[in-house]
């Protein structure tokens, strides 16, 4: 998602018009968090946020696909503890259903850190959009 709210598909999933899923409806494996790439989806905001937050357009562009994915996969975005098992290598993780990159690994991402404080509000916005 860029500052204008344009959404890009990072790992191409085909021409069927179903982002993040292949023609069989399965999630496409990306490369967003080492050891945990299979069986989940990563989203990214483009930019560096050392002194400011993402634009409202970028924030809206983030919340919309998260709500769509959560609805499709019956995920409660407000759930604070879910268990994840990588379907390929068996790696496990436990944390919020909608989480940030730093929840999965020690990293400086997102650049600047301002978005890292926003997941509670993002979860609430996703839940509200889901109705």
């Amino acid at each position: 998602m860029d500052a204008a709210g344009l959404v890009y598909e990072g790992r191409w999933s085909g021409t069927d018009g179903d982002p993040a899923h292949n023609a069989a409806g399965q999630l496409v494996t990306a490369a967003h968090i080492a050891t945990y790439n299979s069986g989940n989806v990563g989203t990214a905001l483009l930019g560096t946020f050392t002194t400011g937050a993402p634009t409202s357009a970028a924030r809206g562009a983030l919340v919309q696909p998260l709500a769509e994915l959560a609805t499709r996969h019956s995920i409660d975005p407000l759930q604070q503890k879910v268990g994840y098992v990588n379907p390929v290598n068996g790696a496990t993780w436990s944390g919020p259903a909608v989480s940030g990159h730093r929840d999965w690994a020690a990293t400086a991402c997102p650049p600047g850190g301002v978005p890292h404080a926003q997941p509670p509000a993002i979860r609430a916005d996703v839940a509200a959009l889901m109705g």
Side-chain angles (χ1 to χ4, degrees):
M1 293 83 185
D2 66 15
L6 184 61
V7 177
Y8 302 85
E9 185 174 19
R11 181 64 53 117
W12 187 65
S13 60
T15 59
D16 61 3
D18 191 9
H21 298 81
N22 64 20
Q26 301 164 319
L27 287 171
V28 173
T29 299
H32 50 285
I33 185 70
T35 308
Y36 306 110
N37 289 318
S38 297
N40 68 51
V41 174
T43 59
L45 293 168
L46 299 178
T48 300
F49 306 103
T50 53
T51 59
T55 64
S56 60
R59 173 78 178 268
L62 174 64
V63 169
Q64 179 67 40
L66 288 175
E68 291 172 12
L69 288 163
T71 298
R72 177 178 185 159
H73 295 282
S74 301
I75 295 169
D76 176 359
L78 300 177
Q79 190 171 358
Q80 290 298 306
K81 186 130 180 161
V82 297
Y84 161 82
V85 178
N86 184 316
V88 174
N89 65 19
T92 61
W93 176 86
S94 180
V98 174
S99 52
H101 200 187
R102 292 182 188 185
D103 294 319
W104 289 79
T107 178
C109 289
V114 172
H116 183 66
Q118 295 184 348
I122 291 169
R123 289 183 200 107
D125 290 350
V126 169
L129 192 56
M130 291 172 69

